[in-house]
Amino acid sequence: MIDSEIFVNKVVKDVLVRYHDLWALGYVSSVAYWDTETYMPGGAIKERSIVFGKLAVLRQKMLLHPEFVELVEKGEKEEGLNDYEKGVIRVLKRSIEKLKKLPPEFVEEFSKVTNQSRVVWRQAKEKNDYELFAPYLEKIIELSRKRAEYLGYEEHPYDALLDYYEEGLLTRELDALFSKLKPHIIDLYRKILNSSEYLEKHPLEDEKYDKDKMHELNLKIMKLLGFPFEYGRLDISAHPFTIGIGIRDVRITSRYAGFDFKRSLLATIHEFGHALYELQQDEKLMGTPVTGGVSMGVHESQSRFWENMIGRNLKFVEAIHNDLKQYLPFIEKYDSYEVYRYLNLVRPELIRVEADEVTYNLHIILRFEMEKMFMEEKVDVKELPQLWENKIEEYLGVRPKNYAEGILQDIHWSQGSIGYFPTYSLGTILAVQVAKKLEKEVAPLDDVISKKDFSPIRNWLKEKIHKWGAIYPPKELIKRALGEEIRVEPFIEHLREKYGKLYGF
Ligand code: MG
């Protein structure tokens, strides 16, 4: 299975042969994960969880096997490796280093605490009882600080956690991005609220749809965008997700509330973007550790590109208006522009996952500021809900009525994922840079969309980003693809232009 055209070095080839066991283990774990989230009977979860625990330990054992570690280290010393070979060694070395630095007792404790904590978080959210969750959050924060110390960092302990999700990302860089972004978004948001075009509610939000019909519509839209159904599928789950089982088996899910169809439609388009990234990786990378996308931020840039730059585009709504009418009869009453307005409503939304394109990043900035504070031991766990409520009120002008609308809304902290949130913003910002570069090198997005042939977009993304897998570190891949690093200015410009037109200023 090793492609001898791109993998030439003998040591790297040996590494890859040995890696195949890990790859196969990852493959079946992904099938099991997909099944857990879609079709597994609920009562099977106890047994399934034990299997997942065993698989994680097995993976660690295989990755840290002295012979394998030695082989990877030998590969690192080889001279004249090509980019593919260097990528393989870099990715494996990163995983090994992270695992090696954490003592087994720590890994076990972290896993135990987060497993309990997820359950408690769910109860706390239901009962609106922060006190119940607080001791667990305190423990998770303490363990995260410990984790940062074990892993090591140069500038800020939070850097060690960020690096898990976005290789090489620094707190300092996020400070710079967010401090530029924040005043612009708040200013734009206030202008929208004061606009005569501002809508507190749109009638399309209450229109009820037939869930089967909506599913058919989602399939039709995926087909239009170019989803290769011989290599993937669409199913239903509580929270939409994408999973790459193999390089040619990538599955997505969506959800159906029965009303407010944009949530289902945009979630499907979002997950399509994640899936396309994985599906367009070079087939030569099959079975290697450099598949699956390079980082959370770059992955999210692909989903956000399709969701925000295509899905929320007026030309796209015009292109699919007849399909919408076919599957959602109530659309007869609304012209394309009205549907477009509905897809782009800006509002004081307390829930991050429901937030619009303008305010979304404020939700992330709030979480980033809080994570940084607790990593710096600047805030007590008892004070966190109040801090949250004050911040969201300052940014959006609304205050949560309960903890579920505030600090208990997201699962991330309960599972120990601290440092993850910022990658959502990176993706949202990068998506605009991707669109602008694509327009420069291919054609205006509006023109491509109007022709209802998305292959020029897919091909460009494949050549510039997708086919490379994780060969280059994320910052390098971005530089190669876009000719620049991440910047907030194009994003700010995009928002001002689009929403200025929509809200008449
Ligand atoms: Mg996503």
Side-chain angles (χ1 to χ4, degrees):
M1 201 170 57
I2 296 164
D3 191 286
S4 50
E5 225 175 273
I6 55 173
F7 298 111
V8 186
N9 182 278
K10 171 79 176 64
V11 182
V12 175
K13 279 183 171 174
D14 289 346
V15 168
L16 288 173
V17 169
R18 248 202 110 113
Y19 177 78
H20 282 160
D21 294 348
L22 274 154
W23 165 72
L25 184 69
Y27 188 102
V28 293
S29 303
S30 300
V31 177
Y33 177 82
W34 173 79
D35 176 70
T36 306
E37 299 295 319
T38 50
Y39 297 105
M40 185 191 77
I45 188 63
K46 198 172 161 196
E47 206 175 359
R48 183 67 58 90
S49 305
I50 299 168
V51 171
F52 279 129
K54 290 285 171 199
L55 289 173
V57 174
L58 189 56
R59 177 179 182 272
Q60 182 164 7
K61 258 191 208 157
M62 288 160 80
L63 203 54
L64 292 183
H65 194 288
E67 282 171 27
F68 186 64
V69 173
E70 201 182 304
L71 207 49
V72 172
E73 280 166 358
K74 199 172 154 199
E76 210 185 0
K77 290 187 197 105
E78 289 286 292
E79 276 173 36
L81 295 186
N82 65 34
D83 288 2
Y84 294 93
E85 295 163 340
K86 275 187 217 158
V88 166
I89 299 297
R90 183 189 101 257
V91 166
L92 287 175
K93 185 83 190 171
R94 253 173 72 77
S95 306
I96 290 170
E97 285 297 299
K98 289 207 189 306
L99 281 176
K100 256 170 118 178
K101 286 178 179 168
L102 301 174
E105 317 81 70
F106 175 83
V107 174
E108 208 186 322
E109 192 185 4
F110 195 84
S111 156
K112 210 177 87 192
V113 170
T114 51
N115 272 320
Q116 291 169 344
S117 161
R118 263 205 313 273
V119 177
V120 175
W121 165 74
R122 226 163 246 132
Q123 292 167 348
K125 190 175 172 180
E126 266 167 39
K127 292 184 190 159
N128 191 34
D129 185 355
Y130 178 72
E131 301 281 297
L132 188 64
F133 180 58
Y136 290 86
L137 183 56
E138 185 153 23
K139 188 74 192 161
I140 284 169
I141 293 170
E142 185 199 316
L143 289 173
S144 297
R145 285 200 204 110
K146 246 192 197 169
R147 183 190 233 182
E149 295 307 321
Y150 284 131
L151 292 170
Y153 52 86
E154 273 173 31
E155 297 172 15
H156 195 290
Y158 191 55
D159 293 348
L161 305 184
L162 290 173
D163 185 71
Y164 258 96
Y165 309 107
E166 195 69 23
E167 185 177 349
L169 178 65
L170 302 172
T171 311
R172 161 167 59 81
E173 294 171 307
L174 286 174
D175 277 329
L177 281 178
F178 288 156
S179 62
K180 253 191 230 168
L181 189 57
K182 197 161 120 180
H184 282 284
I185 311 179
I186 292 177
D187 173 63
L188 183 60
Y189 170 66
R190 301 233 161 104
K191 279 201 178 104
I192 291 171
L193 287 188
N194 292 323
S195 151
S196 57
E197 299 290 312
Y198 175 73
L199 275 181
E200 219 163 275
K201 185 112 184 132
H202 193 285
L204 272 168
E205 290 173 272
D206 292 328
E207 295 280 9
K208 292 191 178 61
Y209 61 75
D210 179 299
K211 291 181 188 178
D212 292 333
K213 287 279 172 224
M214 187 67 218
H215 191 72
E216 280 174 43
L217 172 64
N218 282 337
L219 289 169
K220 182 141 194 190
I221 300 298
M222 285 166 73
K223 200 166 168 217
L224 172 68
L225 297 177
F227 188 84
F229 283 95
E230 65 271 41
Y231 301 124
R233 36 182 302 132
L234 171 70
D235 292 276
I236 302 170
S237 66
H239 294 279
F241 70 95
T242 299
I243 187 156
I245 289 171
I247 204 165
R248 290 296 175 266
D249 182 354
V250 182
R251 305 177 186 193
I252 71 174
T253 67
S254 193
R255 61 173 154 193
Y256 303 96
F259 62 95
D260 198 6
F261 79 94
K262 70 171 166 354
R263 290 199 257 165
S264 179
L265 178 71
L266 293 171
T268 307
I269 299 175
H270 179 100
E271 300 308 328
F272 164 84
H274 280 304
L276 190 71
Y277 182 9
E278 305 236 345
L279 285 162
Q280 294 208 110
Q281 294 179 97
D282 193 335
E283 199 157 328
K284 293 183 178 121
L285 303 179
M286 190 184 280
T288 72
V290 286
T291 61
V294 70
S295 68
M296 301 311 298
V298 174
H299 230 303
E300 194 68 8
S301 78
Q302 297 309 294
S303 55
R304 286 293 192 185
F305 168 80
W306 287 94
E307 178 192 350
N308 289 345
M309 308 310 287
I310 307 287
R312 292 184 207 263
N313 182 310
L314 176 58
K315 291 287 165 206
F316 184 68
V317 180
E318 286 169 5
I320 64 166
H321 196 235
N322 279 331
D323 297 316
L324 295 178
K325 278 194 248 178
Q326 189 191 336
Y327 294 93
L328 311 169
F330 55 80
I331 293 291
E332 284 292 349
K333 291 179 277 174
Y334 305 91
D335 63 14
S336 299
Y337 192 76
E338 211 41 62
V339 177
Y340 170 67
R341 282 218 314 166
Y342 157 70
L343 295 183
N344 292 289
L345 290 172
V346 176
R347 267 187 319 215
E349 171 62 62
L350 288 163
I351 306 295
R352 176 185 62 85
V353 296
E354 301 293 341
D356 54 80
E357 204 182 355
V358 174
T359 56
Y360 185 84
N361 286 306
L362 290 173
H363 291 266
I364 301 301
I365 291 172
L366 172 150
R367 286 154 179 80
F368 164 72
E369 289 170 346
M370 291 184 61
E371 289 185 343
K372 219 175 67 169
M373 281 175 84
F374 56 63
M375 287 305 285
E376 288 170 355
E377 300 184 57
K378 277 189 182 154
V379 61
D380 199 272
V381 170
K382 281 198 289 297
E383 302 160 351
L384 288 176
Q386 181 101 46
L387 182 67
W388 181 295
E389 288 155 21
N390 292 345
K391 273 184 184 290
I392 200 80
E393 188 168 21
E394 185 195 331
Y395 300 162
L396 296 181
V398 276
R399 218 177 159 84
K401 289 186 293 293
N402 52 53
Y403 296 123
E405 288 181 345
I407 193 158
L408 291 181
Q409 67 179 266
D410 293 309
I411 194 172
H412 301 59
W413 290 348
S414 78
Q415 56 190 17
S417 305
I418 292 166
Y420 188 111
F421 285 119
T423 67
Y424 291 131
S425 275
L426 297 189
T428 308
I429 295 164
L430 278 170
V432 177
Q433 285 173 276
V434 168
K436 298 213 172 193
K437 184 72 172 170
L438 200 152
E439 293 207 306
K440 218 180 265 168
E441 295 192 357
V442 182
L445 278 184
D446 284 0
D447 294 357
V448 183
I449 295 170
S450 298
K451 286 185 188 132
K452 294 176 84 164
D453 171 10
F454 294 86
S455 60
I457 297 177
R458 290 197 308 273
N459 292 339
W460 187 87
L461 293 172
K462 180 180 179 177
E463 285 308 308
K464 294 289 173 172
I465 299 167
H466 300 174
K467 74 171 188 186
W468 302 107
I471 292 163
Y472 301 111
K475 282 179 183 167
E476 192 181 335
L477 178 72
I478 291 166
K479 200 79 190 272
R480 279 169 175 266
L482 306 178
E484 61 180 11
E485 50 190 42
I486 186 166
R487 293 193 299 131
V488 289
E489 289 79 3
F491 178 72
I492 295 167
E493 196 186 310
H494 158 74
L495 290 185
R496 287 206 179 275
E497 214 184 286
K498 176 175 175 180
Y499 291 89
K501 257 188 216 155
L502 258 165
Y503 286 90
F505 52 83

